[in-house]
Amino acid sequence: MNQQAATPQLRTTERTFTVLLSPTRRGARLARLLAVAHLDLWGLPSESAAHIVAELTTNASVHGRVSGRDFRLRLTVREDSRLRIEVTDARGDRLPVATAPDPHAEGGRGLLIVEALADRWGVIPGPVPRKTVWAELDLAP
């Protein structure tokens, strides 16, 4: 009889969705629609995540745009307790900062919305010439 030593292994449940999209308004809209569809498929709430994806992908298509280079959307869910949203663009030289715009300005509030909705968010510079802006939502009560 052949016996093998049983090694306890921690099982982690991780689901990931990644897509490359053109840095255009259409690409940002498609990113939001795909995020909502995948979160619904996974049985997870999508309202706050949809707003975060919309803001981060719009920033990638407006401020992170480099001709001929796409942006990447990545959704990762670990243990059904945390959703991580990552948007990587090709403008690592432009690191975002959440600051209050002029009260009469028509834009400039996207990262303030992300900051209000996300439990955590930040920026990972590189590898050159890229940057990744991420936000996390806690899913477990």
Side-chain angles (χ1 to χ4, degrees):
M1 183 158 134
N2 215 359
Q3 289 186 330
Q4 294 180 352
T7 320
Q9 294 181 358
L10 298 175
R11 285 192 58 107
T12 59
T13 306
E14 182 173 292
R15 291 175 276 183
T16 302
F17 168 72
T18 305
V19 63
L20 289 174
L21 295 163
S22 65
T24 61
R25 288 178 159 221
R26 181 174 285 170
R29 182 174 186 276
L30 182 56
R32 183 181 55 79
L33 293 172
L34 289 170
V36 168
H38 274 82
L39 293 173
D40 288 346
L41 180 68
W42 294 338
L44 298 172
S46 60
E47 187 174 351
S48 292
H51 290 298
I52 292 170
V53 168
E55 294 301 336
L56 295 183
T57 58
T58 297
N59 284 352
S61 65
V62 173
H63 306 293
R65 182 179 187 156
V66 172
S67 183
R69 295 192 179 162
D70 295 335
F71 71 85
R72 182 184 74 202
L73 168 67
R74 180 182 180 100
L75 306 176
T76 305
V77 178
R78 294 202 81 206
E79 303 289 336
D80 288 335
S81 65
R82 185 180 312 160
L83 168 65
R84 183 174 175 101
I85 300 163
E86 296 178 345
V87 176
T88 303
D89 67 42
R91 289 299 303 263
D93 59 328
R94 290 188 175 180
L95 298 180
V97 178
T99 57
D102 179 270
H104 303 292
E106 291 185 20
R109 292 169 182 81
L111 288 177
L112 295 175
I113 293 170
V114 171
E115 190 171 73
L117 294 174
D119 293 300
R120 290 163 296 287
W121 79 278
V123 181
I124 302 169
V128 173
R130 297 181 291 269
K131 71 173 173 297
T132 299
V133 183
W134 60 269
E136 290 182 340
L137 293 169
D138 293 332
L139 301 173

